[in-house]
Amino acid sequence: MGRCHCHLWVRVFLQIQQSKKSKFHNKRKSLKKMEFLRVQTVASNSKDVAIPDMFVRPETEQPGITTVHGVKLEVPIIDFNNPDEGKVLNEIMEASKKWGMFQIVNHEIPSHVIKKLQSVGKEFFELPQEEKELYAKDPESKSIEGYGTKLQKELNGKKGWVDHLFHIIWPLSSINYRFWPKNPPSYREANEEYLKYLHGVVDKLFKSMSIGLGFEENELKEAAGGDSMIHLLKINYYPPCPFPDLVVGVPPHTDMSYITILVPNDVQGLQAFRDGHWYDVKYVPNALVIHIGDQMEIMSNGKYKAVFHRTTVSKEETRISWPVFIEPQPEYEVGPHPKLVNEENPPKYKTKKYKDYAYCKLNKIPQ
């Protein structure tokens, strides 16, 4: 009899524990759902009604108030295929020093290759939400690869009006195909085709910027990590917003990369900070937008300047962009190039591993 009672109590105890466990997991699931509230979902629920306060910026940051209206910033446009190579080199050097950004035309990436990249990216974001969540980034992981919304520590709890997908497209040894969408089926092929042509653009930019610093043409790329440099693709998806003047897509920042090569769609949204004011950047059809990033500013000891920029959103249209960040491997140390440092020009930046730099930047910790 005693043994029966014992078994009964054990069974009851186990059921209670199982119930507690189940409640705990359900609570975690609901917390995860809250944490992973996607902007695309918010946008579809916010048509012509008030948007959640977490997206509304202070007046000092609202594009409606802080943008210089009626003026488009005409950043340098460089014909990448100009037979006068000296002219191209000089234009890239000047734009990198004075602007931190420029647009290149005649870059030899066929328009059908870019259109296909855009098409498969757009298709991914139009999939049912549960299918996109299969590629969600792991909140426990230090990697930023995957589908998500939050990227960096958000000051004052404010969020950007954007969802994104990150995945590495080069080198092959760094790729994790778990984060490459299997739907649409041509997603991988479109990205690999774009990468084939992108290599030539990266090489030409590094050669020009290397000569611009007084180096041999291959010296800068080798100092940056050569062919092992990470090529990190990001798709930014900015859904329409009923109150675009109150929100930003991506808050003001400089890119962490050496350089960023960006394909926009035809919806205006990129802004640059110049002479103390925010301006819309005038798009040029079929151009690639080039940003100088923090690592290039560091390596050049301040000769090339990272561009301070942000993105705005549209009331009616979806804006999408495809930046590729050319950046060091996580363990790679970046600092001012030794040839650019002497008694008259001491180092202006610390030398540190890229992963440590990125951690500080994303968590708003001083470098």
Side-chain angles (χ1 to χ4, degrees), residues 20 36 44 76 85 89 101 106 115 118 122 134 176-177 183 188 190 195 200 218 220 256 258 276 328-329 341 345 356:
K20 281 182 180 174
F36 297 153
S44 63
E85 289 183 11
L89 193 151
M101 73 185 308
N106 298 323
K115 281 192 174 73
Q118 292 172 314
K122 182 171 179 283
L134 295 173
N176 184 350
Y177 288 111
N183 196 8
R188 178 168 169 175
L195 174 68
N218 294 320
L220 187 64
M256 294 189 290
Y258 289 119
Q329 289 281 348
V341 174
N345 297 292
D356 297 332

Side-chain angles (χ1 to χ4, degrees), residues 119-323:
S119 172
V120 295
K122 182 171 179 283
E123 280 181 62
F124 169 75
F125 277 92
E126 288 169 351
L127 291 173
Q129 193 57 39
E130 58 272 19
E131 195 165 344
K132 292 196 287 280
E133 295 296 346
L134 295 173
Y135 302 94
K137 60 181 74 174
D138 179 357
E140 307 300 320
S141 169
K142 290 181 181 174
S143 168
I144 63 172
E145 284 192 273
Y147 170 68
T149 299
K150 181 180 174 181
L151 173 58
Q152 56 189 353
K153 188 176 180 182
E154 291 145 345
L155 298 178
N156 308 320
K158 296 297 181 185
K159 295 183 181 296
W161 193 265
V162 63
D163 294 326
H164 58 244
L165 174 69
F166 275 103
H167 61 75
I168 291 170
I169 57 173
W170 182 265
L172 294 175
S173 57
S174 298
I175 291 176
N176 184 350
Y177 288 111
R178 155 168 153 44
F179 297 114
W180 289 49
K182 292 183 173 56
N183 196 8
S186 55
Y187 185 90
R188 178 168 169 175
E189 181 192 343
N191 277 262
E192 289 176 343
E193 186 70 6
Y194 177 63
L195 174 68
K196 265 191 232 170
Y197 291 95
L198 193 68
H199 284 310
V201 175
V202 172
D203 283 347
K204 191 164 178 176
L205 286 170
F206 267 90
K207 281 177 182 174
S208 301
M209 295 172 81
S210 188
I211 294 166
L213 292 172
F215 299 163
E216 296 295 319
E217 65 174 28
N218 294 320
E219 214 167 337
L220 187 64
K221 186 179 174 185
E222 287 309 308
D227 289 329
S228 72
M229 284 188 292
I230 298 279
H231 293 34
L232 176 66
L233 174 80
K234 181 187 186 191
I235 307 177
N236 289 305
Y237 187 91
Y238 308 91
C241 175
F243 302 99
D245 286 349
L246 305 182
V247 308
V248 292
V250 177
H253 67 288
T254 54
D255 293 344
M256 294 189 290
S257 55
Y258 289 119
I259 55 174
T260 303
I261 300 170
L262 181 140
V263 169
N265 72 349
D266 53 4
V267 179
Q268 174 65 50
L270 180 62
Q271 292 192 335
F273 194 68
R274 189 123 177 115
D275 305 324
H277 300 284
W278 286 105
Y279 293 91
D280 290 320
V281 173
K282 184 179 179 183
Y283 281 153
V284 177
N286 304 315
L288 298 174
V289 182
I290 311 298
H291 296 167
I292 303 300
D294 296 342
Q295 304 312 300
M296 185 62 77
E297 180 171 325
I298 290 166
M299 201 160 59
S300 70
N301 204 26
K303 287 187 185 299
Y304 296 146
K305 305 291 184 197
V307 63
F308 196 51
H309 59 287
R310 70 181 184 186
T311 56
T312 59
V313 300
S314 165
K315 185 169 185 175
E316 310 292 342
E317 298 177 285
T318 297
R319 179 171 183 265
I320 315 177
S321 66
W322 289 258

